[in-house]
Amino acid sequence: MARKTIFHSLLGELEQRIGRLPAGTILPAEQALADEYGVSKPTLRRALAELAEHGLIAKENGIGSVVIGARSAMRRELIFLCNNLNFYSTTLSTFAARVRQENYFLSIVPLDGDAFTQEQIIRTAIEQSPYGIAVSADQTHNDLPIYRELASGPIPTVFLCRLPGGVESGSLAIIDNRREFCRIVQRLYREGCRKFAFFTDIPPSVEVVQERFAGFLDGMRRCRLKPQETLLCLRPEQQQEFLLRFSGPGAPDAVCCHDDRSALELMKLLRARGIDYSKIRFTGYDNLSLLRFLPQKLLTAELPLAELGKAAAEILLRQIENRSFKPVCKRLPARIKES
């Protein structure tokens, strides 16, 4: 049994054992229990103290640990607040599997609605006093004041993909989009591309676009290339001039789109204008299922969504076990692949 999981496994096993015993039953001596479960005596005592705190047993001088009759179950609940259940389905699955190993049960709560609704959802989760909370925040409402309250409060919390606005410190499991976008540009450069464009059809204020555009610029710098303003489409009003650049000798030989969907949209726009883009290299991101509908190959990034769930669970379990555990940031690499 891994050292970092031994306490919570022991706690769950003792809780199940006590639940089967009648009130007034005296548990074996501490050393005997420690030997039976293969743990140290301090670890056993810590588990017994938590069970006593939750009213499952009582410590009686000269007798030992006694099972209490009318007991309430320990609330070994973790809450996962998720803004996109479909996208993070694999993440939720691996997160749930990992925390179940430590005898926790998971409540998955959709983080939907407007800013007021989402704030109420988060506040309700806090009022449930769970053992821990995982949060995948909605990008459009990522600066709610309740996030700062959650991050500074007593409930162990881990954020996925990015810290909310205004939260300066907190544990984070993140897919390193900026680094991977930089790698995509470098790979295309090695393949002979020299004139790069960037395209997005969603507002540049959205954090995921900012991250990926920053990675694009990092890649250009590493390849010692200078971005051309007319080959950057970051706003709807730039789109018409941007599309004109695909006709004639000034056309790009590579276009980095902020995700797979925007790559499909750009191809549709070019096709509608009768522009031949068969010799242009396109990149996307996220490795979505829609790639099979694209008219040509796309360089994309397969996100480590399963690893993201496991990493978030590990961080949260560490925080629960050790409340003095300092915030950490776990960065996960994506896998660049051809569609």
Side-chain angles (χ1 to χ4, degrees):
M1 188 181 298
R3 186 175 185 84
K4 63 183 177 184
T5 67
I6 191 169
F7 173 73
H8 293 100
S9 295
L10 171 65
L11 196 60
E13 291 177 24
L14 285 172
E15 183 183 0
Q16 293 176 19
R17 176 175 181 164
I18 290 168
R20 297 190 294 266
L21 297 174
T25 301
I26 301 174
L27 296 180
E30 291 181 351
Q31 188 60 60
L33 280 175
D35 293 341
E36 180 180 344
Y37 288 100
V39 299
S40 67
K41 201 169 179 180
T43 298
L44 177 80
R45 284 178 174 170
R46 182 182 166 202
L48 291 176
E50 186 155 342
L51 293 169
E53 181 181 344
H54 286 83
L56 277 69
I57 61 173
K59 299 283 288 184
E60 296 188 8
N61 292 332
I63 296 178
S65 298
V66 181
V67 175
I68 295 176
R71 72 179 187 90
S72 59
M74 290 176 63
R75 288 190 56 81
R76 294 179 61 77
E77 179 186 22
L78 303 179
I79 295 178
F80 198 128
L81 300 168
C82 185
N83 73 300
N84 191 331
L85 296 180
N86 289 330
F87 185 81
Y88 287 108
S89 59
T90 303
T91 301
L92 292 167
S93 178
T94 54
F95 184 95
R98 180 65 189 89
V99 299
R100 277 199 299 266
Q101 292 177 350
E102 307 305 322
N103 297 295
Y104 288 98
F105 68 90
L106 180 64
S107 295
I108 298 173
V109 179
L111 200 53
D112 296 329
D114 58 18
F116 175 79
T117 302
Q118 291 193 25
E119 182 143 4
Q120 293 306 305
I121 291 171
I122 298 167
R123 188 168 300 282
T124 299
I126 294 173
E127 291 172 354
Q128 293 296 315
S129 298
Y131 265 62
I133 294 177
V135 182
S136 169
D138 185 344
Q139 296 176 33
T140 57
H141 302 297
N142 197 34
D143 57 352
L144 301 177
I146 191 67
Y147 282 127
R148 294 188 286 278
E149 181 179 328
L150 176 61
S152 61
I155 300 174
T157 300
V158 60
F159 296 97
L160 281 75
C161 294
R162 59 189 53 83
L163 290 177
V167 176
E168 297 181 357
S169 178
S171 286
L172 179 66
I174 184 172
I175 299 171
D176 201 340
N177 294 322
R178 180 168 178 167
R179 176 177 177 272
E180 300 311 319
F181 233 85
C182 176
R183 288 177 58 212
I184 286 174
V185 173
Q186 290 177 295
R187 173 166 167 170
L188 292 181
Y189 181 82
R190 292 195 298 270
E191 293 177 2
C193 297
R194 293 296 182 270
K195 190 172 290 187
F196 285 79
F198 183 90
F199 175 79
T200 182
D201 57 348
I202 66 174
S205 59
V206 177
E207 289 184 60
V208 67
V209 177
Q210 294 176 343
E211 291 171 354
R212 296 176 187 185
F213 183 59
F216 171 81
L217 296 178
D218 290 344
M220 295 290 282
R221 282 192 292 268
R222 294 197 179 195
C223 296
R224 298 184 179 181
L225 298 174
K226 185 177 180 180
Q228 297 184 30
E229 289 293 330
T230 53
L231 291 180
L232 304 178
C233 184
L234 296 170
R235 297 175 180 82
E237 60 268 22
Q238 297 174 320
Q239 197 170 104
Q240 291 301 321
E241 183 180 355
F242 178 76
L243 293 172
L244 291 174
R245 301 290 293 178
F246 285 79
S247 300
D253 51 20
V255 184
C256 296
C257 302
H258 101 268
D259 64 5
D260 298 338
R261 186 201 52 77
S262 64
L264 175 59
E265 179 63 23
L266 177 57
M267 290 181 188
K268 287 170 57 180
L269 292 171
L270 293 171
R271 186 166 61 250
R273 286 161 175 76
I275 298 174
D276 178 16
Y277 55 82
S278 59
K279 295 182 180 180
I280 299 175
R281 288 284 273 145
F282 287 85
T283 78
Y285 209 81
D286 299 338
N287 191 37
L288 300 180
S289 58
L290 60 79
L291 292 182
R292 64 180 181 272
F293 301 112
L294 291 177
Q296 69 182 58
K297 294 287 187 180
L298 185 74
L299 191 64
T300 187
E302 185 176 25
L303 305 185
L305 295 176
E307 293 84 352
L308 181 66
K310 185 177 180 180
E314 295 286 357
I315 293 171
L316 191 58
L317 291 170
R318 287 284 301 276
Q319 286 185 312
I320 293 170
E321 185 174 357
N322 182 1
R323 297 304 175 100
S324 62
F325 186 60
K326 294 182 179 180
V328 297
C329 179
K330 174 69 174 178
R331 296 183 178 274
L332 302 170
R335 184 169 73 89
I336 299 174
K337 58 178 289 188
E338 200 86 40
S339 67

